[in-house]
Amino acid sequence: MGSSFGRLFCVTTFGESHGGAVGVVVDGCPPRLPLSVDEIQRDLDRRRPGQSAITTPRDEPDRAEILSGVFESLTLGSPIAIMVRNTDARPAAYADFKDTFRPSHADYTYEAKYGIRNWQGGGRASARETIGRVAAGAIARTLLRVSAHIEVLAYVRRVHTLTAAVDPSLVTLAEVESNIVRCPDAVAAEQMIARIEEARRAGDSLGGVVECVCRNVPAGLGEPVFDKLEADLARGMMSLPASKGFEIGSGFAGTALTGIEHNDPFTTDAAGRVRTASNRSGGIQGGISNGEDIVFRVAFKPTATISQPQQTVNRSGQAVTLQARGRHDPCVLPRAVPVVEAMACLVLADHLLRQRGQCG
Amino acid sequence: MGSSFGRLFCVTTFGESHGGAVGVVVDGCPPRLPLSVDEIQRDLDRRRPGQSAITTPRDEPDRAEILSGVFESLTLGSPIAIMVRNTDARPAAYADFKDTFRPSHADYTYEAKYGIRNWQGGGRASARETIGRVAAGAIARTLLRVSAHIEVLAYVRRVHTLTAAVDPSLVTLAEVESNIVRCPDAVAAEQMIARIEEARRAGDSLGGVVECVCRNVPAGLGEPVFDKLEADLARGMMSLPASKGFEIGSGFAGTALTGIEHNDPFTTDAAGRVRTASNRSGGIQGGISNGEDIVFRVAFKPTATISQPQQTVNRSGQAVTLQARGRHDPCVLPRAVPVVEAMACLVLADHLLRQRGQCG
Amino acid sequence: MGSSFGRLFCVTTFGESHGGAVGVVVDGCPPRLPLSVDEIQRDLDRRRPGQSAITTPRDEPDRAEILSGVFESLTLGSPIAIMVRNTDARPAAYADFKDTFRPSHADYTYEAKYGIRNWQGGGRASARETIGRVAAGAIARTLLRVSAHIEVLAYVRRVHTLTAAVDPSLVTLAEVESNIVRCPDAVAAEQMIARIEEARRAGDSLGGVVECVCRNVPAGLGEPVFDKLEADLARGMMSLPASKGFEIGSGFAGTALTGIEHNDPFTTDAAGRVRTASNRSGGIQGGISNGEDIVFRVAFKPTATISQPQQTVNRSGQAVTLQARGRHDPCVLPRAVPVVEAMACLVLADHLLRQRGQCG
Amino acid sequence: MGSSFGRLFCVTTFGESHGGAVGVVVDGCPPRLPLSVDEIQRDLDRRRPGQSAITTPRDEPDRAEILSGVFESLTLGSPIAIMVRNTDARPAAYADFKDTFRPSHADYTYEAKYGIRNWQGGGRASARETIGRVAAGAIARTLLRVSAHIEVLAYVRRVHTLTAAVDPSLVTLAEVESNIVRCPDAVAAEQMIARIEEARRAGDSLGGVVECVCRNVPAGLGEPVFDKLEADLARGMMSLPASKGFEIGSGFAGTALTGIEHNDPFTTDAAGRVRTASNRSGGIQGGISNGEDIVFRVAFKPTATISQPQQTVNRSGQAVTLQARGRHDPCVLPRAVPVVEAMACLVLADHLLRQRGQCG
């Protein structure tokens, strides 16, 4: 349960990290949208393991196949199913984890919930589950661009204690993709890469913060109460593996301001459009987009898989020492960037259709 | 749209701040649960305006009426509808806002979305909407207590720059309710109250952080992917008026730790139960509760309503100066405490029933 | 659970037959729709008990109160809550049923499901539950008329063995409302009324068939698979108390035709619009409206409440003889007519918004 | 949109008749349920084309592949994705239909809805879409059997004007499968087969009625209002291709009875269990199962594809004569039997979990 997301633009992911395949079904996509497997592959390639020196050496091409819903490079309006075969499974590497709970992984909670788990990998808790999200997100991204020129761009804002200087309103995809850590601040990026490589050598891991900006979002998206736009963004981001926090606009730091300091004064721009002079609201007010850039941040904890011995227990409750041997990312941040973008696209696409449905 | 929350324990709120009534329908509540209007009223009284010197002077008794779903003090399993009449409406006080957008309020976005709004108050964006949540939360709280001895407790952790020292595993309701700011650290509470009164005198407002702890949550609640327990908590909290951020366990601060420092080692307690030696996970791993205390924090911005003149525009796009005259809270935090608890109860109640449904 | 209907135009009903109130929350209604309580009351008056000699003498005015979502006679886009107080409760009349299961009522199944029931009436199984549906249906009807000139009209097609001759494409509301049995065939109507009065005198009851026609439905409403338009209509109709069957277009009788006889040839009308020469499809093909009149029929069993003694058992499993004393309709058909219309309006309104959302 | 079904046991189908694949994702299946691809294949084989002389000669093996959610022949509790490749596509056979609307098919309505369609077959309106339903239904069937010994069995009750004599309470699977028309009345079956072959030779087609019985359903499944058990069954059945009617228990014929004749007297059986002496209710009262056999019927129209020339129009609105050349079933009934069973299993499985979730 809980593998679906969205009310009108509705995605359902499936697949464990090891076994047949992972994938997604996108139901409710508008018809006649141009779509090729290349657009999907482009985002999958940004997410895939083995893409650089600071990601996991697990090397899978992650080639997407569109099984349905597209005809002559146009969407049909029917469900779009996309599948990626699992190819690089090495169950032997996980044999140690069959009866042992890896600290801060989901091994124990899956057992507690289901009384069974596929120990030959991370199961649904593996980052491989995000393949379906990224594939669906690529479709949502196309819908947003074609329908409303909306642009969604994420980047690494912080790794461990290193914070980048980035202006969300100006940052470009080229800047983000100019280095393997996906941080548009070139100086900080270099330090981050060094810090990550240092952690890897130490058998340790690092976390950080991804920031995301959504531009050209028309005013009016989002619902007043439970489905506030920031609530759905928060749900989407906090549903990502390893995320521990979400904030929008001024976020936690904004609590140190007073109301006089924090309020965004309204003004009008040259075109007579209502704007805000500042953007501490982060582009959303009362749960509804106000036409300004939507800016939010997501905290990712340091990767739980490390190469140092750790104390834990096995299924019988006996204390054991665990020495990880699986391949892993010393820092999940660079590969989290396209995943954050994908989830943001899914949220916005759903609300775009909902707004059209209710308010015409 | 977007006024419903929960898949099995499903609540739907209704009502604007001014006009007939606000309320909620709770569908899917288990039958034969003891329920009286007093339990609902108790939480509503903690939420109601006018309860202390540091809340809004808008004085409404907010008496709940149960319209259906309860028979001889037991739930029937059918929808429980609860209504609270609006009594203290003063539309004249809002006449100035009919054509003027209050900064950092939802006036403009409601107009942009719907092309209409009830200007005689905050409409659905008013904190009055949370009455329905609190009433439903009281039912969920009873369900959690009766079914699984689960206890949910929130408190003010920070106001402006003042941070309290609180141990989430030990804090009690009596400590929280021992002062009007609902901060269990008596020393910090006194400072917070002074700071809030100072802000009020200055016509200004303050924000802060509410922390919430959920105890005795059995391992196994929450779904692996989109409906991770922390994702639903995040959605619930980010759907509250004025919230700007959510974090669980180590949260944003945890990104400054390395994996070795951050991982929670597994161990067993005297009863042979699997436990974690630390709780940086915040009681949830892989989206599923692990039996430890669930601990999360919510950032609330300073109240948007202030008594100082502000620059804004009216519906014609002309620049105007706005002088707020409505009654308001100088700091929303004390009244946000029961609302945070209510949303947490709603999330847990839904997942408790979902777990029972799928896994028996 | 199960008290909500619709994905975008979403209604949630509440209330038992006895106790505080019955009502409905309509979430997702488009904004700026003209709406007054009079439009709602008009349909409620067609549904209310005591309206004629052949309906139950239970006499309740069923006055609707709009609690939210409407401002200056326009919908706000926020939830519209409507409440009708229960006034004519006579628990004493039901005292006999406290421990005894009335045959073909829901007494036993409610007990089996919930382990509790409000024995002071039919609970949620009472026809009073349909008040919420009719109130919401009146809003949906307005939306359909204003947005697309869609017209929904039902009438009694059969009572017991008496079948009326009606042309669905020509029948008018005036004809339907010209007699108390709501059958537009005046000759058949007279016979039906006599037959119903005869049944009442005998302490017996009758069933029959309601037919419904939906005109001006644009081609394109409905979804290809599970949410076919006829599937949602069927669900809506089979969710009505006492309904036992649903058929669309040629229905069960169509199974006696061959494909050559049954297929509807396509043609074009004077305006160049694609039409079908016949309408055995009933206005829906492949789950999607084709622009022709949607015509369906609903079978209602004879009212379960009768005044003759019946064999049954009590909660202890002992055989007892039951003598009904409650007030009831000898034939539910006349009052079912506005309820069938309401459900049809709810289905069409939801699909109208869904179509706009997905396909623009 | 509309490709999902069920609230807790939730299935999502995908795939067009031509193109990559068809399939289904089952989310919410309880963990640790024994499941092999053989069980799924068994039902698919009963549904597949080319299985007998009276079904379409389109010959596809329809081999199922489980992509996820199963580990060592046990369900994991995570989504179970199942895929069947399309192999026997012959787009050329459909070239004539590219611009021409086949009468009583969904060609026109798909165009009207989406402005595009995959003309190389029936798209989502093809009976191939039901592969996903049957695969998911096989899983639901296992769940029902393992959890509650529930048995679901359908059979052909009528073809054209030929009606079989069947006692729903006694009929067996062996009887149903003893002939190619799946009618347990051997005499009627022979006549039906002859009638179908006659229709095929005449280039014509036939419809009929499938009856379904669900045994050992515990009392208490189903929800009181919109999600009545018969409402969800009706929705499921009316969502099947070519279905035109649904009735439960006494159905349409029951409207010719009076209340005295129709009511089912309660009694107790030898075990002291509450039973009904007759079963005109069809096993459901007030939307909730009462422990008796659930018996319902579904009307299927004669197959729309026929081999005789038909009048129709093309996309330009010009009148054209259509001569069908695709391969098709002269009578859909025999292959509809496992599909009706599958949908019934899906409805019951969902309500079984829902009941467990809400009422424990």
Side-chain angles (χ1 to χ4, degrees), chain C residues 5-35:
Chain C
F5 191 89
R7 191 185 291 226
L8 287 192
F9 191 95
C10 182
V11 306
T12 302
T13 71
F14 62 86
E16 285 79 41
S17 66
H18 296 73
V22 294
V24 69
V25 180
V26 179
D27 196 18
C29 183
R32 303 187 311 280
L33 196 70
L35 185 70

Side-chain angles (χ1 to χ4, degrees), chain A residues 16 32 65 78 85 114, chain D residues 16 32 65 78 85 114:
Chain A
E16 285 79 40
R32 303 187 311 280
E65 180 186 3
S78 53
R85 293 274 181 192
Y114 297 122
Chain D
E16 283 81 40
R32 304 188 309 281
E65 181 185 4
S78 53
R85 291 276 181 190
Y114 297 121

Side-chain angles (χ1 to χ4, degrees), chain C residues 63-146:
Chain C
R63 304 301 304 178
E65 180 186 5
I66 298 176
L67 297 174
S68 68
V70 178
F71 181 62
E72 298 179 341
S73 298
L74 292 175
T75 59
L76 283 165
S78 54
I80 304 168
I82 301 168
M83 178 182 71
V84 170
R85 292 276 182 190
N86 291 323
T87 55
D88 187 31
R90 305 188 192 172
Y94 283 85
D96 286 357
F97 312 149
K98 183 173 177 181
D99 294 309
T100 302
F101 302 132
R102 290 170 297 161
S104 290
H105 275 272
D107 300 340
Y108 169 65
T109 53
Y110 271 56
E111 285 270 347
K113 183 177 189 68
Y114 297 122
I116 185 176
R117 74 187 159 93
N118 181 343
W119 52 264
Q120 301 177 334
R124 287 293 275 168
S126 161
R128 271 192 88 65
E129 182 274 331
T130 61
I131 286 177
R133 307 191 194 215
V134 170
I139 302 173
R141 189 195 295 273
T142 299
L143 170 62
L144 294 172
R145 188 185 64 238
V146 168

Side-chain angles (χ1 to χ4, degrees), chain A residues 1-3 8 13-16 20-21 27-28 31-32 65 67-69 71 76 78-79 81 83 85 114-115 118-119 124, chain D residues 1-3 8 13-16 20-21 27-28 31-32 65 67-69 71 76 78-79 81 83 85 114-115 118-119 124:
Chain A
M1 205 157 40
S3 295
L8 287 191
T13 71
F14 61 87
E16 285 79 40
D27 196 18
R32 303 187 311 280
E65 180 186 3
L67 297 174
S68 68
F71 181 63
L76 283 166
S78 53
M83 178 182 71
R85 293 274 181 192
Y114 297 122
N118 182 342
W119 52 264
R124 288 291 275 167
Chain D
M1 206 158 39
S3 295
L8 287 192
T13 72
F14 62 87
E16 283 81 40
D27 197 18
R32 304 188 309 281
E65 181 185 4
L67 298 174
S68 67
F71 181 63
L76 284 165
S78 53
M83 177 181 72
R85 291 276 181 190
Y114 297 121
N118 182 343
W119 51 264
R124 289 291 276 167

Side-chain angles (χ1 to χ4, degrees), chain B residues 1-3 8 13-16 20-21 27-28 31-32 65 67-69 71 76 78-79 81 83 85 114-115 118-119 124, chain C residues 1-3 8 13-16 20-21 27-28 31-32 65 67-69 71 76 78-79 81 83 85 114-115 118-119 124:
Chain B
M1 205 157 42
S3 295
L8 287 192
T13 71
F14 62 86
E16 284 81 40
D27 196 19
R32 304 186 310 279
E65 180 185 4
L67 297 174
S68 69
F71 181 63
L76 284 166
S78 53
M83 178 182 70
R85 293 276 181 190
Y114 296 122
N118 181 343
W119 52 264
R124 288 291 275 167
Chain C
M1 207 158 39
S3 295
L8 287 192
T13 71
F14 62 86
E16 285 79 41
D27 196 18
R32 303 187 311 280
E65 180 186 5
L67 297 174
S68 68
F71 181 62
L76 283 165
S78 54
M83 178 182 71
R85 292 276 182 190
Y114 297 122
N118 181 343
W119 52 264
R124 287 293 275 168

Side-chain angles (χ1 to χ4, degrees), chain D residues 289-308:
Chain D
S289 61
N290 66 357
E292 305 298 321
D293 287 350
I294 294 175
V295 182
F296 63 85
R297 284 166 295 281
V298 188
F300 290 92
K301 68 173 185 179
T303 319
T305 303
I306 53 177
S307 305
Q308 294 292 324

Side-chain angles (χ1 to χ4, degrees), chain A residues 180-192:
Chain A
I180 58 176
V181 79
R182 291 204 170 90
C183 172
D185 173 341
V187 177
E190 207 166 326
Q191 297 171 319
M192 288 171 178

Side-chain angles (χ1 to χ4, degrees), chain A residues 54-108:
Chain A
I54 57 170
T55 61
T56 171
R58 176 172 171 154
D59 190 11
E60 297 192 276
D62 288 347
R63 303 302 303 178
E65 180 186 3
I66 299 177
L67 297 174
S68 68
V70 178
F71 181 63
E72 298 180 341
S73 298
L74 292 175
T75 59
L76 283 166
S78 53
I80 304 167
I82 301 167
M83 178 182 71
V84 170
R85 293 274 181 192
N86 290 322
T87 54
D88 187 31
R90 306 188 191 172
Y94 282 86
D96 286 357
F97 312 148
K98 183 175 178 181
D99 294 309
T100 302
F101 302 131
R102 290 171 296 161
S104 290
H105 275 271
D107 301 340
Y108 168 64

